[in-house]
């Protein structure tokens, strides 16, 4: 058996490759990767990241609103837990993470994110300060009144439906939005290789522009902008580059400059305060906290001395950030400083990118409105064609019932003489009386009065006797007249552009009357914010830094009075100018710069500030090996020595840079800097190793290198040994150091050559 089995396996082994070979296709990897990536990117763009130009929604937003509609959560109904809605969206239409759905729902409910919220939220949905919303098990939601107009007539065949992800249900490809939601609420999103950022606008202005384009399809951008003045952000603010808007709306891209609204309030004692009541839209989220920190930083860095206090008094009623000023403050200059140095003036980058006809496209204002108008006419055509078909069906039945009332006696005879419903229906439709047993003779003329349609015959057979009452017949006649009027109206709408345009404009005007609100954002041309920095009077100060890394500056007189205590308590004491910089060299080969003005200046006993807080230096990751004044270093040469025995001299001018952090030297793997010192040519260098070896050689043997060089070997190290200290000796100077239990006099060491083995003093 095993042998036979082995033979079968051998046959399979010979046969399978032929099958596999038939299924293998030779594909160029480059073209396949391009195709696959393009397919993936288009999928992300269309099905996730970018809004549709017709309803201004991404798929997740569309599915949320449609689910709320399906669940009957209209504005007149009670709220329902967001967890229920999120679960329904995930189970029916959106097979992604629950966080993405809930985050999208939260944004639809935030009146500071959406100019016209589409979800009516109940509970904590976050704040403009950046506070996060409560979990979806705590919050509730339903449709807002505004969102009803996004789903009006969805049951009248106005839009196409497609299968959901598992083909169980149908979902709308697009919502039948009555207003240009893409412009009204704007949109933001990042796709593969592209992004969209569309500002919100005022509903009334947008509807007026849409009506204009419907009435005059040749209207240009200038005419549309007579209605749409510019963006209208939910947080208000001021657009200060009005003249740039035409180009932005023409191309669909550009930069809008936004400012917060600042009011001046008088206080007791002749003091004033600045009150910020509106913020740039870009500050939503963590922007307010960042703004407060930035203002505090301006005070701490002595950029301004006019600010006494700052507080955030914002509430549900609105934004209120209060900046109290000292008496005699230059208010205009301070306002301009806030515009320039904080996000109180910010830029909104416009990129009006949306999916149009299944492809991403950057569109100008007119193009977006054109797409909306085309969509409205398409929906109106489908709606009224659907209504017309229904009314024509109704008319057919009504005419059949009216005709039946005229020959009701004959119909009753047919029903009484029929053996089955089938025979009766056949007689009503075709007038064939062969299978009908009449008590009285039916003439051909009477039979010819029948000839009902299938629908009419079914309606007659289902008709109840009370319909034969006179009043019911009269009501039927009136209903028939109404049906004829509706048919005439629908045909007129479908056959005449002006009639359909009137219907669309009437719907838009109704929306405008119900939902339009006064513009919040001011559009103007403002002068560029220019402020004069108060010139700092240059003076000599003393930089003090203790062993814990706290640094400060004091004036020279204060230092002179406390010199002994200052030198004893501080690890670094450096004279410098208050307009200069301090350079910190670390064991990792980096140089960090600190502006003297960024450090606290004051009394001798005042506590300093950690250098970590005013520079990129991280005391948890690196150690300071040298600190010096940047200006004094300009004309000097610096000696670098590393644990692996590498040395070099670098001109101090190479460290005159604007960056806060640079690589001061290049290190080999596993190496670190042990010393940096200012060196002169008449000095001697002494390298001391961990094992107690010393090498003394002239400073001129240390070559000059660029800061990006590794350097040369200063001493030959024995196995597991490393350089521990570096010293510079002046001629005749006496320096004694400890090497283990021995004290070594460096000036008595024998002068040798660089790259020697060094000696171990006895």
């Amino acid at each position: 058996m095993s042998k036979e089995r082995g033979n079968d396996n051998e046959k399979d082994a010979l046969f399978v490759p032929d099958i596999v070979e038939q299924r293998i296709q030779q594909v160029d990897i480059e073209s396949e990767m391009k195709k696959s990536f393009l397919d993936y990117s288009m999928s992300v763009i269309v099905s996730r990241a970018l809004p549709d130009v017709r309803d201004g929604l991404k798929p997740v937003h569309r599915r949320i609103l449609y689910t709320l509609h399906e669940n009957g959560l209209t504005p007149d109904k009670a709220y329902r837990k967001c967890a229920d809605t999120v679960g329904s969206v995930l189970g029916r239409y959106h097979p992604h993470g629950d966080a993405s759905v809930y985050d999208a729902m939260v944004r639809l409910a935030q009146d500071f994110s959406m100019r016209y919220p589409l979800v009516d939220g109940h509970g904590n949905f976050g704040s403009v300060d950046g506070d996060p919303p409560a979990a979806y098990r705590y919050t509730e939601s339903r449709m807002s009144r505004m969102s009803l107009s996004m789903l009006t007539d969805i049951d009248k065949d106005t839009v196409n439906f497609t299968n959901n992800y598992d083909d169980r249900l149908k979902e709308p490809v697009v919502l039948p939005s009555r207003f240009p939601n893409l412009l009204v609420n704007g949109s933001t999103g990042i796709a593969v290789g592209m992004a969209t950022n569309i500002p919100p606008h005022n509903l009334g202005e947008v509807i007026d522009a849409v009506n204009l384009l419907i009435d005059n399809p040749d209207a240009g951008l200038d005419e549309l902008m007579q209605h749409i003045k510019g963006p209208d952000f939910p947080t208000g603010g001021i657009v200060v580059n009005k003249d740039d808007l035409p180009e932005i709306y023409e191309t669909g891209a550009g930069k809008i400059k936004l400012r917060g609204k600042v009011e001046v309030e008088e206080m007791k004692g002749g003091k004033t305060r600045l009150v910020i009541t509106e913020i740039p839209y870009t500050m939503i989220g963590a922007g307010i906290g960042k703004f407060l920190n930035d203002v505090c930083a301006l005070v701490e860095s002595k950029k301004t001395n006019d600010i006494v206090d700052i507080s955030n008094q914002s509430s549900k009623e609105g934004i209120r950030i209060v900046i109290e000023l000292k008496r005699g403050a230059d208010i205009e200059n301070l306002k301009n400083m806030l515009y320039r140095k904080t996000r109180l003036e910010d830029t909104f980058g416009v990129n009006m990118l949306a999916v149009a006809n299944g492809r991403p496209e950057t569109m100008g204002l007119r193009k977006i409105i054109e797409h909306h108008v085309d969509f409205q006419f398409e929906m109106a055509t489908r709606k009224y064609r659907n209504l017309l078909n229904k009314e024509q069906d109704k008319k057919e039945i009504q005419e059949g019932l009216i005709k039946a009332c005229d020959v009701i006696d004959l119909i009753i005879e047919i029903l009484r003489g029929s053996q089955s419903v089938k025979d009766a229906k056949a007689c009503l439709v075709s007038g064939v009386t062969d299978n009908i047993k009449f008590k009285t003779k039916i003439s051909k003329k009477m039979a010819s009065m029948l000839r009902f349609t299938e629908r009419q015959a079914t309606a007659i057979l289902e008709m109840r006797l009370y319909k034969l009452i006179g009043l019911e017949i009269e009501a039927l006649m009136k209903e028939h007249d109404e049906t004829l009027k509706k048919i005439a109206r629908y045909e007129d709408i479908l056959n005449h552009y002006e009639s359909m345009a009137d219907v669309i404009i009437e719907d838009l005007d109704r929306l405008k009357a119900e939902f339009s609100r006064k513009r919040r954002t001011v559009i103007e041309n403002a002068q560029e914010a220019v402020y004069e920095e108060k010139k700092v009077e240059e003076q000599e100060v003393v930089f003090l830094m203790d062993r814990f890394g706290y640094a400060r500056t004091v004036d020279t007189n204060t230092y002179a009075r406390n010199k002994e205590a200052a030198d004893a308590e501080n690890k670094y004491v450096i004279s410098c100018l208050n307009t200069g910089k301090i350079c910190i060299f670390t064991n990792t080969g980096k140089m960090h710069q600190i502006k003297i003005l960024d450090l606290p200046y004051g009394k001798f006993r005042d506590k300093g500030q950690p250098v970590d807080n005013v520079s990129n230096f991280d005391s948890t990751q690196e150690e300071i090996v040298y600190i010096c004044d940047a200006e004094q270093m300009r004309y000097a040469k610096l000696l670098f020595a590393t644990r692996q025995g590498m040395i070099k001299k670098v001109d101090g001018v190479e460290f005159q840079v604007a960056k806060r952090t640079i690589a001061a030297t290049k290190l080999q793997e596993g190496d670190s800097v042990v010393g940096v010192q200012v060196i002169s040519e008449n000095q001697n260098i002494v390298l001391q190793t961990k094992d107690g070896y010393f090498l003394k050689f002239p400073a001129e043997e240390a070559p000059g290198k660029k800061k990006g060089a590794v350097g040369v070997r200063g001493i030959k190290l024995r196995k597991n040994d490393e350089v521990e200290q570096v010293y510079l000796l002046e001629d005749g100077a006496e320096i004694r150091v400890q090497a283990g239990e021995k004290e070594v006099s460096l000036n008595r060491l024998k002068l040798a050559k660089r790259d020697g083995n060094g000696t171990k003093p006895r």
Side-chain angles (χ1 to χ4, degrees), residues 424-483:
K425 188 173 182 179
C427 182
L428 292 173
V429 171
S430 60
V432 176
T433 59
D434 297 345
N435 296 327
I436 310 299
K437 297 179 180 179
F438 294 104
K439 290 186 178 180
T440 58
K441 188 175 180 181
I442 303 298
S443 65
K444 290 183 179 181
K445 184 177 180 181
M446 292 178 66
S448 65
M449 294 176 67
L450 300 175
R451 305 287 182 180
F452 293 97
T453 66
E454 289 281 343
R455 281 202 189 96
Q456 291 173 339
T458 301
I460 291 169
L461 293 173
E462 293 175 351
M463 182 178 64
R464 298 184 180 183
L465 289 175
Y466 76 85
K467 289 290 185 180
L468 300 176
I469 299 173
L471 291 176
E472 289 293 327
I473 295 174
E474 186 178 343
L476 178 62
M477 298 295 291
K478 287 182 179 179
E479 186 180 347
H480 181 57
D481 290 340
E482 287 296 320
T483 299

Side-chain angles (χ1 to χ4, degrees), residues 28-165:
D28 179 59
I29 185 67
E30 183 177 353
S31 60
E32 181 64 22
M33 287 296 294
K34 285 182 179 179
K35 179 180 179 300
S36 298
F37 184 77
L38 284 173
D39 291 345
Y40 163 73
S41 61
M42 285 302 297
S43 173
V44 171
I45 288 166
V46 175
S47 64
R48 290 174 64 181
L50 297 185
D52 193 296
V53 70
R54 294 170 292 180
D55 62 4
L57 298 175
K58 300 177 188 177
V60 64
H61 300 130
R62 189 176 301 120
R63 288 161 177 167
I64 290 170
L65 295 180
Y66 186 62
T67 299
L68 289 170
H69 169 76
E70 276 194 316
N71 290 348
L73 297 177
T74 50
D76 57 331
K77 302 293 174 51
Y79 293 97
R80 188 177 297 176
K81 287 286 186 184
C82 290
D84 179 81
T85 301
V86 170
S88 298
V89 173
L90 294 175
R92 298 176 192 173
Y93 308 117
H94 199 72
H96 298 285
D98 57 344
S100 63
V101 175
Y102 185 53
D103 288 347
M105 177 184 285
V106 165
R107 189 177 187 280
L108 291 176
Q110 291 175 334
D111 58 2
F112 52 85
S113 293
M114 303 285 287
R115 185 64 179 88
Y116 302 88
L118 300 178
V119 169
D120 181 6
H122 183 247
N124 175 17
F125 277 79
S127 73
V128 70
D129 288 340
D131 299 321
Y136 57 45
R137 60 182 178 275
Y138 300 119
T139 56
E140 299 175 322
S141 63
R142 63 186 179 188
M143 297 175 70
S144 68
R145 287 172 50 242
M146 188 73 175
S147 66
L148 289 178
S149 57
M150 298 284 294
L151 291 122
T152 302
D153 298 330
I154 196 170
D155 57 341
K156 293 183 173 63
D157 191 36
T158 50
V159 293
N160 292 331
F161 280 71
T162 186
N163 292 334
N164 73 331
Y165 63 90

Side-chain angles (χ1 to χ4, degrees), residues 628-690:
C628 64
D629 174 47
E631 188 61 28
Q632 295 172 0
M633 181 181 62
R634 179 189 295 269
Y635 305 105
K637 289 182 181 294
L638 294 184
L639 172 70
F640 284 80
T642 74
R643 290 199 179 279
Q644 294 180 2
M646 307 304 291
I647 63 169
K648 68 176 179 179
K649 289 185 294 192
V650 182
D651 286 333
V653 71
E654 288 204 41
F655 302 103
Q656 303 295 313
V657 294
K659 292 182 179 180
R660 297 182 70 185
T661 299
I662 63 168
T665 186
K666 185 177 181 181
L667 295 172
Q668 298 179 110
E669 186 177 354
D671 202 1
S672 62
V673 177
V674 294
V676 178
Q677 295 188 45
V678 174
I679 188 172
S680 61
E681 294 298 328
N682 60 351
Q683 291 177 314
N684 293 322
I685 300 171
V686 178
L687 299 179
Q688 178 186 355
T689 72
K690 182 180 67 173

Side-chain angles (χ1 to χ4, degrees), residues 200-247:
H201 295 79
N202 185 272
L203 177 68
E205 295 178 3
V206 172
I207 286 178
D208 288 342
V210 173
N211 290 346
L212 171 64
L213 197 62
I214 292 174
D215 286 335
N216 179 17
D218 297 326
L221 179 63
D222 292 342
E223 296 171 271
L224 295 175
M225 288 192 65
Q226 290 178 6
H227 297 289
I228 300 179
K229 308 300 182 183
D232 188 20
F233 296 100
T235 55
I238 305 169
V239 171
V240 296
N241 58 333
K242 179 180 178 181
D243 288 345
D244 294 338
L245 294 180
E247 183 179 356

Side-chain angles (χ1 to χ4, degrees), residues 265-276:
E265 293 183 359
E266 298 295 332
M267 300 173 63
K268 292 180 181 179
K271 293 183 179 180
T272 56
R273 62 187 175 198
L274 298 180
V275 180
I276 300 167

Side-chain angles (χ1 to χ4, degrees), residues 544-546 550 552 565-573 604:
L544 304 174
M545 189 177 111
D546 62 24
Y550 283 78
R552 65 195 188 282
D567 292 345
E569 296 173 5
N570 293 282
K571 189 175 181 180
Y572 295 97
V573 179
F604 178 72

